Amino acid sequence: MEKKPFVTKEQLEHIVQDFPTPFHLYDERGIRENARKVKQAFSWNPGFKEYFAVKATPNPFLLKILHEEGCGCDCSSMAELVLSEACGITGTEVMFSSNMTPEEEYRKAMEMGAIINLDDFTHIEFLEKTCGLPETICCRFNPGGVFRMSNGIMDNPGDSKYGFTREQLFEGMRILKEKGVKHFGLHAFLASNTVSNEYYPELAAILFRLGVELVKELGIDLTFINLSGGVGIPYHPEEEPNDILVIGEGVRRVYEEILTPAGLGHVALYTEMGRFMTGPYDGLVTRVLHQKHIYKEYIGCDACAADLMRPAMYGAYHHITVMGKENAPCDHMYDVAGSLCENNDKFAVDRMLPEIEIGDLLFIHDAGAHGYSMGYNYNGKPRHAEILFREDGSAKMIRRAETLKDLFATFDFCDILKGAEIPE
Ligand SMILES: *Cc1c(COP(=O)(O)O)cnc(C)c1O
């Protein structure tokens, strides 16, 4: 599918008059429309709720927009809990899916009345000692081995640090019930960025069967099943996007096959999608500063891996549009690089693009999840602003750019930088 930015060159030229490049530009309309579609896809399940995975895009303005569309928050750290609470998202609208969890984070989550999703058998005792056990608790399952789907997608739960083994799950829920826990949830995350309508239905079938067994063997009250995240987006234009309505129907099919006949037709479904909720609805906007001709042709731009690390970290593909040259032939091969002293700081390698000139604006697609949030400050590069492109066509800053003062703030306990001249 052809990838088009959600703004035109003219709109973008307008925005850069108020906000200097580079910046992340989020598409409010896209985020809202997608969230509504997710809700619609699972509307057959009365208890359905999406808990947005905050780590994907931890911006309070975006959390509020998603909350207005009915989403809660999936948190896994103190910062994410605090951010959710500050947005008025608390209580059972918060899922706390943490791992290797520090005491104070459990305490905070319990104070907020969040649903605790236990990652490990030993955390039963840990949580009981720290805070006491809640009435409702979720346990994360790890089936081990290799997770293979009929269409070839696979991942390696056996190598992942998360969750309970099957035996631990039965034993753990038995103990939790004995200790007075009244309601149970079941969770698993088996594969990441799945561009396939079959992932959720296949995962659901595994969890539904397991849920039926747990109820039969332990007599627990299973109130929800949490399909977690992992629903992917087509970073590459040649990939076929997921259709969330088809996914919702696929999950309904296995629900009616497995849960309903077992007398579990009341079980609520939860999801914790991150990437699917915001990934496609943000472009990293950057201006071309340099062209360099050595053994290869380089384009130097004013963004760098500090703003979007996925290409540097995973060699991930992010599509690039040269604004205003959408219809020009892609007959030039470039490496598009940032300014870090790190050779993997490249947004694209050997990419065929239209002829680029200094001053061109580049729109780096699909930067809206695990984008800004994964950024870092290597080379002392401050991270840039986040801007919201609103439904009425206006632009609003939703996070200012970091300054050098922010970067040096952790030296505020000493005098060395007191008199230093620090540019804004
Ligand atoms: C990261 C994460 C998610 C979201 O994953 P996506 O791939 O962005 O959908 C959901 N749940 C948990 C526990 C996670 O760690």
Side-chain angles (χ1 to χ4, degrees):
M1 221 171 69
E2 195 193 346
K3 273 192 187 286
K4 273 196 185 148
F6 51 83
V7 280
T8 63
K9 178 167 190 260
E10 288 63 40
Q11 286 171 319
L12 208 48
E13 290 292 1
H14 228 79
I15 294 169
V16 299
Q17 284 174 11
D18 291 331
F19 306 106
T21 59
F23 51 79
H24 280 266
L25 185 67
Y26 295 89
D27 175 21
E28 179 173 4
R29 171 170 296 141
I31 290 173
R32 285 189 189 276
E33 283 177 357
N34 181 66
R36 283 173 204 163
K37 231 165 135 183
V38 168
K39 214 170 143 184
Q40 185 196 339
F42 290 94
S43 57
W44 55 267
N45 181 261
F48 174 77
K49 193 168 185 73
E50 151 71 3
Y51 291 84
F52 174 63
V54 175
K55 73 167 190 269
T57 320
N59 185 301
F61 292 88
L62 300 178
L63 296 186
K64 277 174 175 274
I65 288 174
L66 286 165
H67 190 228
E68 282 169 19
E69 300 300 340
C71 302
C73 285
D74 163 40
C75 301
S76 53
S77 70
M78 183 64 86
E80 292 169 6
L81 288 169
V82 169
L83 202 57
S84 300
E85 191 178 39
C87 292
I89 306 164
T90 182
T92 54
E93 287 206 295
V94 176
M95 183 71 60
F96 188 53
S97 295
S98 60
N99 69 94
M100 309 300 178
T101 314
E103 262 180 54
E104 60 274 19
E105 295 189 2
Y106 271 137
R107 229 175 268 126
K108 177 72 183 166
M110 290 284 284
E111 274 167 32
M112 285 170 63
I115 303 174
I116 307 287
N117 183 12
L118 279 189
D119 180 70
D120 186 43
F121 182 78
T122 64
H123 286 216
I124 297 171
E125 201 185 324
F126 187 79
L127 181 63
E128 189 183 24
K129 277 198 179 138
T130 323
C131 319
L133 294 170
E135 278 207 345
T136 301
I137 209 157
C138 183
C139 295
R140 181 169 183 166
F141 172 53
N142 180 338
V146 175
F147 172 68
R148 227 183 232 105
M149 285 174 40
S150 40
N151 64 3
I153 288 184
M154 56 169 284
D155 219 312
N156 249 320
D159 277 343
S160 100
K161 66 172 176 171
Y162 306 109
F164 292 55
T165 67
R166 192 184 150 88
E167 277 175 5
Q168 288 174 341
L169 193 65
F170 280 82
E171 181 62 6
M173 286 196 174
R174 191 186 61 73
I175 292 171
L176 285 164
K177 188 183 173 214
E178 240 172 55
K179 289 180 181 291
V181 171
K182 294 203 166 57
H183 313 289
F184 288 84
L186 188 56
H187 169 283
F189 188 154
L190 300 188
S192 203
N193 193 28
T194 55
V195 188
S196 154
N197 291 332
E198 285 308 311
Y199 170 65
Y200 259 5
E202 292 199 23
L203 168 68
I206 292 171
L207 287 176
F208 293 172
R209 282 194 194 102
L210 184 59
V212 171
E213 282 184 66
L214 284 162
V215 170
K216 269 201 187 133
E217 192 162 323
L218 306 172
I220 55 163
D221 174 31
L222 184 67
T223 50
F224 66 87
I225 285 181
N226 182 345
L227 300 176
S228 187
V231 177
I233 59 168
Y235 286 100
H236 205 282
E238 264 143 46
E239 285 173 297
E240 186 67 33
N242 284 331
D243 184 337
I244 197 67
L245 298 177
V246 172
I247 291 175
E249 276 309 300
V251 174
R252 186 221 279 258
R253 202 181 56 234
V254 291
Y255 189 100
E256 287 171 356
E257 238 171 65
I258 301 167
L259 285 184
T260 312
L264 294 175
H266 57 276
V267 171
L269 289 184
Y270 297 159
T271 55
E272 294 173 338
M273 292 182 278
R275 195 186 310 272
F276 190 77
M277 302 306 290
T278 51
Y281 314 110
D282 168 46
L284 175 59
V285 177
T286 175
R287 185 147 340 243
V288 174
L289 300 179
H290 298 287
Q291 284 197 325
K292 171 162 181 159
H293 323 280
I294 48 171
Y295 308 103
K296 294 175 90 171
E297 291 296 305
Y298 291 93
I299 297 298
C301 56
D302 60 5
C304 67
D307 303 297
L308 175 64
M309 201 166 27
R310 299 186 69 259
M313 191 153 161
Y314 313 117
Y317 181 94
H318 279 262
H319 198 66
I320 297 177
T321 297
V322 185
M323 297 306 293
K325 298 184 177 174
E326 289 83 351
N327 299 316
C330 293
D331 53 3
H332 284 65
M333 195 200 279
Y334 296 113
D335 280 16
V336 179
S339 59
L340 296 188
C341 301
E342 172 60 75
N343 194 41
N344 65 6
D345 181 19
K346 293 175 180 172
F347 292 115
V349 175
D350 296 337
R351 183 75 57 88
M352 296 306 295
L353 290 166
E355 183 168 14
I356 291 177
E357 285 150 278
I358 290 173
D360 279 348
L361 285 171
L362 306 182
F363 184 96
I364 304 177
H365 291 255
D366 303 315
H370 316 294
Y372 180 95
S373 61
M374 218 186 243
Y376 64 148
N377 292 121
Y378 198 52
N379 266 168
K381 290 284 175 180
R383 283 179 290 174
H384 296 99
E386 295 184 297
I387 310 291
L388 183 65
F389 183 62
R390 292 198 287 194
E391 290 182 287
D392 64 5
S394 65
K396 172 182 163 179
M397 183 166 73
I398 56 172
R399 189 195 302 257
R400 69 161 169 81
E402 288 174 342
T403 65
L404 291 189
K405 282 210 172 102
D406 295 325
L407 281 190
F408 296 148
T410 42
F411 295 116
D412 61 2
F413 66 96
C414 67
D415 292 335
I416 299 174
L417 288 163
K418 274 269 159 67
E421 246 181 72
I422 302 174
E424 282 301 315

